[in-house]
Each structure stands twice: as structure tokens, then as C-alpha cells.
Amino acid sequence: MQPRARTPLAKESRRLDLLLAARALFTRQGYMMPSVIDITEEAQLAKGTFYLYFQTKEELFLELLEMGFAQWLKTLQQSVSAEIIANPSLLAEAILGPILHDPCFLQLASMTQTILEQNLRAERATAFKIRLGEGIESLAQNLATRYQQSAADLIDLMMDCYAAIIGTWQNTQVTTSMALIKDKVPYPFLFQSFEDRIGPLLRDIITGRLVRLQAQAEARALAASRLGTEKAGR
């Protein structure tokens, strides 16, 4: 076992060791949450070390999820350009790109409400929600400027896209027992792949929402123009 960390740098390194060990086990075990003992053994640390950094394993996995969210939003902020904004297909690709091949993040995100948030301290849950909200709001403000739409409308769009991603991920995961009977079921739409389904779905959501927002903006502009004309004619 490794000696106890003493300096701030050593403590941060030890915390990262636990996070990486948990992620490795989570991936190897088919996205089942490992025990605290398994995590500390993987990290070659004493069991008690875990509780110096996290109160529960849910808290640790929430931090892994938070790291995934932060990287996803950061990548989106960096990738948003005039070319992407003008093309719903490119925007859908930008949204999917950072997470499409990261099943660890997708699985953790799908467990947020049902598992990860069930055993958290109030202050930890609050901090998680605030940081996530800040990241989403910042991205929405960036998109709103480029789309000339309100940040609130762009937040709604992003939340709908996120819900579609997580819902599609959950619906397209095939358990071991389902895989055994897949060929006996004459309804292939029940076994669609995540990659095949999510791209077209996001493009439809983005295109439909932007068309509606544009139509609403044009209707408001027309109403304002008519009101101005009426006032001028009085």
C-alpha cells in the first residue's frame, strides 16, 4: 500500500488515483459500480484512505460524471463556430462528438437521478447542480449571441438534446439476456444501435426547434412593424 499523502499536491494525486481506479473498474465490470474495497485495492490504497476524500462511492462517481460534463461543455464552447451554427447536422455532431465514444460518461449520466443523487450530502449535490448550471448557461449565452435568440430558448434546446441523448442511450442498451433472444424477435427497431439512432434524432430536434424559434422571431417582428404602422397612421 502507498504511504499517506501529506502535501496538497500529493493529496490531489491520491484523489485522482481513486477516481481513475473507479473508472477503470466501472468500465471493466460492465458499468456496474464497484465496492469501496475494490476501488481502494485497484488504486493500491488502504480502505480507510477512500473516506479521506469521499463520503460514499456515489459521491466519487458523481465527481467522475462532473468531470465528464465539464469536458463536454468545454469542448462544445471551443467547437461552436459560425459554420457549425448554420448547419444543424454539424451542431448535432459537435454535441455528440465528445461523448459518442465514452460509454462511461453516458452510463453515469443515465444513473444520475436513480443512483448517484440518492446518497449525497446536500452541500455536495448543491455544488454539482450549480456548476453544471453555470456551464450550461455559459454555453447557451454563447449560442444565443450567434443564433440571435434568447439564452432561455437555447437552454431549452440543449436540455432537450441532452434528454434525447440519455433516453436513447438507455433504450438502445442490450442486456446479456436480451442479446440471447435478439435474433428470435422479428422487430429490429427494438434493437437499434445508439450511434444509428441518436444522430438523426438530434438533427430533427435542432432543426425543428430552430425553425420554430425563427418563425416566432419573424412573427414578433411583423407584429411590431404593424403596431408601428398603426401608430404612425393615427
Side-chain angles (χ1 to χ4, degrees):
M1 295 295 176
Q2 300 180 35
R4 184 168 182 173
R6 301 291 182 183
T7 67
L9 185 61
K11 290 179 180 178
E12 185 58 31
S13 177
R14 191 60 45 81
R15 184 185 192 88
L16 183 59
D17 287 342
L18 290 166
L19 288 164
L20 293 177
R23 181 185 170 92
L25 285 170
F26 186 64
T27 304
R28 287 205 307 266
Q29 295 178 3
Y31 310 111
M32 298 291 291
M33 288 178 63
S35 67
V36 170
I37 291 177
D38 288 340
I39 293 169
T40 52
E41 287 182 351
E42 178 77 10
Q44 297 183 338
L45 298 169
K47 180 182 177 181
T49 302
F50 180 93
Y51 296 102
L52 297 175
Y53 301 92
F54 306 98
Q55 288 201 356
T56 64
K57 64 180 181 180
E58 288 85 1
E59 194 170 294
L60 179 150
F61 278 97
L62 186 75
E63 185 159 331
L64 279 176
L65 177 62
E66 190 171 8
M67 291 166 63
F69 271 124
Q71 184 58 49
W72 185 21
L73 292 170
K74 179 181 177 180
T75 302
L76 274 173
Q77 285 277 24
Q78 295 172 341
S79 67
V80 169
S81 66
E83 180 184 8
I84 287 175
I85 291 299
N87 188 324
S89 292
L90 291 179
L91 182 56
E93 290 176 10
I95 291 171
L96 281 174
I99 62 169
L100 191 59
H101 302 296
D102 187 1
C104 183
F105 171 79
L106 287 168
Q107 187 63 34
L108 285 174
S110 73
M111 296 162 54
T112 305
Q113 285 78 23
T114 56
I115 298 176
L116 301 186
E117 294 181 354
Q118 295 300 313
N119 192 22
L120 288 178
R121 293 170 293 145
E123 58 269 30
R124 181 65 187 90
T126 301
F128 167 66
K129 291 294 187 182
I130 288 176
R131 280 195 286 266
L132 180 57
E134 288 172 345
I136 293 171
E137 187 173 63
S138 175
L139 177 60
Q141 289 170 347
N142 186 3
L143 289 172
T145 300
R146 294 179 178 274
Y147 276 118
Q148 297 184 330
Q149 301 289 346
S150 73
D153 285 333
L154 271 301
I155 286 175
D156 285 345
L157 173 59
M158 286 190 295
M159 295 302 290
D160 285 349
C161 287
Y162 176 73
I165 290 170
I166 299 307
T168 302
W169 169 257
Q170 291 174 322
N171 288 335
T172 54
Q173 299 311 291
V174 180
T175 63
T176 302
S177 59
M178 289 298 103
L180 294 175
I181 58 94
K182 180 179 177 180
D183 293 338
K184 300 176 183 178
V185 178
Y187 303 107
F189 57 81
L190 295 176
F191 300 97
Q192 297 181 70
S193 74
F194 175 72
E195 291 80 1
D196 290 343
R197 186 74 188 97
I198 191 58
L201 180 57
L202 277 192
R203 288 193 290 273
D204 287 348
I205 291 172
I206 293 168
T207 300
R209 182 62 57 84
L210 294 181
V211 167
R212 180 172 65 80
L213 290 175
Q214 184 60 39
Q216 290 175 344
E218 292 173 356
R220 288 193 296 268
L222 180 59
S225 176
R226 287 175 176 171
L227 182 60
T229 302
E230 290 174 1
K231 288 182 177 180
R234 291 173 183 172

